[in-house]
Amino acid sequence: MDYLAIVVALVVVTASSIAIHLLARAKKARPGNLPPGSLGLPVIGQSLGLLRAMRGDGGSRWIQDRIDRYGPVSKLSLFGRPTVLLAGPAANKFLFFSGAFSTRQPRSVQRILGEKSILDLHGADHRRIRGALLEFLRPDMLKAYVGRIDGEVRRHLQENWAGRATVTVLPLMKRLTFDIISALLFGLERGAVRDALAADFVRMVEGIWAVPVNLPFTAFSRSLKASGRARRVLQEITREKKKASQVEVEHGNGKASRNSDLITCLLSLRDGHGERLLTDEEIVDNAMVALIAGHDTSSILMTFMVRHLASDDATLAAMVQGN
């Protein structure tokens, strides 16, 4: 009984402390220059509500509900950071054409993807990184990748689709997309390293869309650990390709090496003084971002394409006949 009384007393004291804290916050006058809305609980804010809505394909409805309640401009807290929601044409024009703003990812995302990516750089550094990435995406470079993509697709279909009456498309499209990106960005062939990187990639994505609480049992903590492992893999790949490119340059074959994958391409770029255009850290961080950026959009698009073909016999027949 004494133990039960102690527990009850602790619960009462805790509840009273929370109530006093909330009352004190309620009595504080809201600064006149802040929009309406609420920051919610510390760290958590409105993150859980948004995540639940997105998992149920209700992200747009969640945003519209806030607009209906607070108007086109409101404050909230997402992923541990105070946030302002802007909606409507006027707000978009103000945001994108005002020189007072610069884009930055939440600190939680920076911890997963790195601080030297194109998502968080501005001015001359942003232009330098953007120019380097576009070098890899030149039309003549893209033509050289068609054969490698075709090989990955054929192997994937043979291993995962051939001879099966039914398949679950989205997970397979995600793995196919990951395999293609790994080959083109990192020159990473099939094997244990690619498989381990694929598993860590899944955990990284889960942490990006999670409340940024770094405790052992949280998705964010697992994501940070997966990011560290993935980063070490990319750092090792970068070191190996740097050595290989130095050997090729000595033999006069630098141009051929440059076309092989993103990391090799970025290692080969030089500025006007003959110095490397990107540091190793910048290469690794932007390779991480490129892996994330190209994954879900491509895999979801291919999934809907397969769904359309499965439900439209005429289109499927025309495509088969065309081949």
Side-chain angles (χ1 to χ4, degrees):
M1 293 297 293
D2 291 340
Y3 176 75
L4 179 60
I6 292 173
V7 172
V8 172
L10 288 174
V11 171
V12 171
V13 170
T14 302
S16 300
S17 300
I18 294 174
I20 293 172
H21 172 71
L22 294 176
L23 288 173
R25 286 184 57 183
K27 290 182 178 180
K28 291 181 180 179
R30 189 183 72 198
N33 60 342
L34 290 182
S38 169
L39 297 180
L41 295 174
V43 180
I44 297 176
Q46 286 78 23
S47 301
L48 293 178
L50 176 60
L51 292 173
R52 281 195 299 268
M54 293 183 66
R55 290 191 182 101
D57 197 26
S60 298
R61 182 69 259 172
W62 187 89
I63 292 175
Q64 187 60 50
D65 287 344
R66 287 197 62 85
I67 295 173
D68 294 341
R69 182 176 181 181
Y70 297 113
V73 181
S74 64
K75 69 174 182 289
L76 65 160
S77 176
L78 293 175
F79 308 110
R81 299 296 299 270
T83 306
V84 173
L85 172 66
L86 300 176
N92 290 334
K93 182 177 180 180
F94 172 70
L95 177 63
F96 290 110
F97 290 93
S98 172
F101 294 98
S102 60
T103 58
R104 290 187 69 85
Q105 297 299 305
R107 177 58 186 162
S108 58
V109 176
Q110 290 179 349
R111 294 178 65 184
I112 296 172
L113 299 182
E115 300 181 0
K116 297 293 184 180
S117 77
I118 192 172
L119 300 177
D120 289 298
L121 298 176
H122 310 97
D125 285 335
H126 184 276
R127 290 191 293 271
R128 174 172 56 85
I129 299 295
R130 182 174 180 272
L133 295 175
L134 289 176
E135 186 71 18
F136 177 72
L137 297 174
R138 293 199 328 262
D140 59 315
M141 301 268 290
L142 294 176
K143 290 179 182 178
Y145 307 142
V146 173
R148 296 171 65 185
I149 294 174
D150 183 68
E152 290 286 346
V153 172
R154 289 178 183 274
R155 282 193 295 269
H156 172 84
L157 292 176
Q158 183 63 35
E159 294 175 359
N160 299 285
W161 294 63
R164 302 193 182 190
T166 60
V167 293
T168 305
V169 177
L170 182 57
L172 291 175
M173 289 296 99
K174 287 188 174 183
R175 183 56 199 253
L176 173 61
T177 304
F178 177 86
D179 288 342
I180 292 173
I181 293 176
S182 295
L184 296 185
L185 297 190
F186 316 137
L188 194 58
E189 301 299 331
R190 292 188 301 167
V193 175
R194 185 196 275 188
D195 291 340
L197 186 61
D200 285 332
F201 171 76
V202 172
R203 295 187 183 94
M204 285 168 52
V205 173
E206 291 174 349
I208 290 175
W209 296 104
V211 177
V213 177
N214 188 12
L215 294 175
F217 55 84
T218 62
F220 184 68
S221 176
R222 293 192 294 269
S223 179
L224 289 177
K225 293 177 181 177
S227 173
R229 291 191 296 267
R231 189 172 300 279
R232 287 190 290 272
V233 170
L234 297 186
Q235 288 169 343
E236 180 60 29
I237 292 174
T238 302
R239 283 192 291 268
E240 292 176 356
K241 292 187 178 296
K242 189 190 301 183
K243 294 178 182 178
S245 64
Q246 290 172 349
V247 172
E248 290 186 354
V249 168
E250 291 175 0
H251 290 81
N253 195 31
K255 185 175 181 180
S257 169
R258 180 174 178 173
N259 294 339
S260 58
D261 55 72
L262 174 66
I263 291 180
T264 304
C265 175
L266 297 181
L267 283 169
S268 71
L269 299 178
R270 297 291 185 270
D271 61 17
H273 303 288
E275 301 294 330
R276 277 182 50 192
L277 193 62
L278 275 69
T279 66
D280 287 0
E281 182 182 5
E282 289 172 335
I283 290 175
V284 170
D285 285 0
N286 284 283
M288 297 268 282
V289 168
L291 178 62
I292 296 287
H295 184 266
D296 279 3
T297 51
S298 301
S299 59
I300 291 173
L301 175 62
M302 290 191 294
T303 299
F304 277 111
M305 180 185 70
V306 173
R307 180 185 180 185
H308 176 71
L309 292 175
S311 59
D312 189 334
D313 295 337
T315 301
L316 178 60
M319 188 185 74
V320 171
Q321 184 178 4
N323 288 334

